[in-house]
Amino acid sequence: MIPRDAEHERWMDLALDEARAALLTQDVPIGAVLLGPDGAVLATGRNEREALGDPTAHAEVVAIRAGASALRERAAAVGHSPDGWRLEDCTLVVTLEPCAMCAGAIVLSRIPRVVFGAWDEKAGAAGSVFDILRERRLNHWVEVYAGVREAECGGLLRDFFAAHRG
């Protein structure tokens, strides 16, 4: 069995690949990977707001939508009728701390674990500005693993914004 920290590092590699792919469409380089209940990659996502002209096309939301679709397809292939939206026993790995919108989507889709890289001191909702993922007044709480490859994730974002300001 791989120690949890080693798994987080490996998973973040995949999320960083997605973040770099966002650069091809001039989107902010944020990437996400959704791991299914079996630990295999269920779906990936990257920021696509610029590419799609969609303000909700954050990496996490893209991955959550694709993951729900993949689970529905898997269930249908074996003759089950899934509810189509519960992502229980999944893990979401993302290069930047989720914002309030993404944190809400995580809670509502019942994702039990989030691993993220860089903190977002301006809009983070997993402990920086808000802590929606662990808000006890909500009906679902999320286990959070923060700061995985933080310097690398943050550096990618700093380089992107420096290039766009200069």
Side-chain angles (χ1 to χ4, degrees):
M1 176 129 197
I2 298 172
R4 185 165 292 281
D5 289 343
E7 285 180 326
H8 293 175
E9 297 275 331
R10 185 175 43 119
W11 296 337
M12 192 58 74
D13 257 341
L14 301 171
L16 280 161
D17 288 345
E18 287 296 316
R20 290 183 195 100
L23 294 169
L24 299 173
T25 55
Q26 300 300 308
D27 276 286
V28 177
I30 300 170
V33 176
L34 184 66
L35 302 153
D38 60 358
V41 173
L42 181 61
T44 60
R46 66 179 74 89
N47 267 11
E48 294 187 90
R49 292 185 307 171
E50 299 297 328
L52 300 176
D54 179 353
T56 68
H58 288 204
E60 300 94 324
V61 172
V62 171
I64 288 168
R65 288 176 180 156
S69 178
L71 284 178
R72 280 192 308 275
E73 288 173 16
R74 285 184 186 179
V78 295
H80 294 323
S81 180
D83 62 29
W85 60 270
R86 285 184 182 87
L87 297 175
E88 296 164 332
D89 298 323
C90 291
T91 300
L92 182 67
V93 181
V94 62
T95 57
L96 182 66
E97 178 184 4
C99 69
M101 176 185 71
C102 294
I106 290 164
V107 168
L108 293 174
S109 62
R110 306 294 193 271
I111 295 172
R113 282 171 303 286
V114 169
V115 176
F116 72 83
W119 291 92
D120 185 348
E121 299 297 330
K122 293 181 180 178
S128 287
V129 179
F130 308 103
D131 199 353
I132 293 170
L133 296 182
R134 294 174 284 204
E135 174 54 59
R136 291 291 169 199
R137 292 173 289 185
L138 297 176
N139 64 337
H140 177 71
W141 308 285
V142 180
E143 190 175 5
V144 175
Y145 298 90
V148 176
R149 295 178 66 179
E150 181 176 2
E152 189 174 357
C153 293
L156 189 59
L157 289 162
R158 280 189 298 280
D159 291 348
F160 174 82
F161 288 114
H164 283 77
R165 286 186 195 114

